[in-house]
Amino acid sequence: MERAASLFYYRQTATWEKIFGFSSTTFEDFLHKGRGEKNWMVRLLTNKFTEKLSGEDLEVAKEVLRTRCVIGLMDRMEESLERFNTYFGWSSPDGDDCKNDLLHGGVNRNPHPKIEVGSEVWNLLYEQNELDIKLYEYAQVLFEEQRVLFSYQGTQR
């Protein structure tokens, strides 16, 4: 949900993007008009961009995550970056500076209102992205299960 909101508010200000022009509408109106994303990640992982999705598609997407992905979470960014570094064998002399820039600076931050659980916007996003939400919940479980594959020593848990 956070990503969908961030993308909407980003596109309100990103005059350099091809998809621009949401500045005259609210996020809620945007969603009511059916212009928001609808299970974007499940669609991407199942290669079903226009077809109606089902619970079977969610299971396929879960299997793709389980068998083909190293899971990273935005709210566990430091640990996620360490996992990616370990898995992909990334290292560089200025690696710590790069990591600190990503964790604390962020070149692509876009401040916007938080979505309150139970609000109209939250309910609309949930309705339109229920399979993605379930996939995210599964990704959180996988993130914990994959912990044994990495020797992360940070303080986030």
Side-chain angles (χ1 to χ4, degrees):
M1 289 197 195
E2 179 63 27
R3 192 191 65 76
S6 182
L7 182 60
F8 170 80
Y9 288 107
Y10 165 79
R11 285 181 172 165
Q12 282 189 316
T13 61
T15 57
W16 55 90
E17 294 280 355
K18 288 182 182 179
I19 300 175
F20 170 74
F22 304 137
S23 59
S24 63
T25 189
T26 66
F27 191 33
E28 186 174 336
D29 288 342
F30 180 79
L31 294 172
H32 272 296
K33 291 175 184 173
R35 295 181 69 194
E37 294 177 345
K38 294 171 184 68
N39 297 303
W40 175 80
M41 185 57 68
V42 171
R43 290 184 180 287
L44 183 68
L45 294 175
T46 60
N47 201 31
K48 286 189 168 183
F49 297 102
T50 58
E51 300 91 342
K52 183 173 174 57
L53 296 174
S54 68
E56 185 176 308
D57 296 312
L58 173 62
E59 294 306 313
V60 169
K62 285 180 176 182
E63 184 66 8
V64 170
L65 284 187
R66 188 183 70 74
T67 60
R68 301 191 182 273
C69 298
V70 175
I71 305 298
L73 302 173
M74 289 292 294
D75 61 347
R76 305 283 286 282
M77 184 61 79
E78 186 173 355
E79 184 175 355
S80 297
L81 288 175
E82 291 293 331
R83 287 181 183 199
F84 300 149
N85 286 341
T86 300
Y87 184 82
F88 293 109
W90 293 338
S91 65
S92 72
D94 61 342
D96 286 340
D97 290 340
C98 179
K99 182 174 81 171
N100 286 331
D101 285 348
L102 286 171
L103 290 173
H104 305 293
V107 296
N108 203 17
R109 292 181 189 257
N110 185 43
H112 56 81
K114 293 287 182 195
I115 300 169
E116 299 295 325
V117 175
S119 69
E120 181 69 16
V121 169
W122 190 93
N123 290 333
L124 284 166
L125 278 171
Y126 186 89
E127 274 178 33
Q128 295 175 10
N129 294 283
E130 186 175 359
L131 296 178
D132 268 7
I133 291 166
K134 290 177 180 179
L135 183 65
Y136 177 73
E137 290 167 352
Y138 181 68
Q140 290 175 306
V141 170
L142 284 178
F143 185 83
E144 295 303 324
E145 288 178 1
Q146 288 181 355
R147 174 170 276 131
V148 299
L149 303 174
F150 303 95
S151 58
Y152 178 72
Q153 301 300 317
T155 56
Q156 288 184 340
R157 293 281 182 221

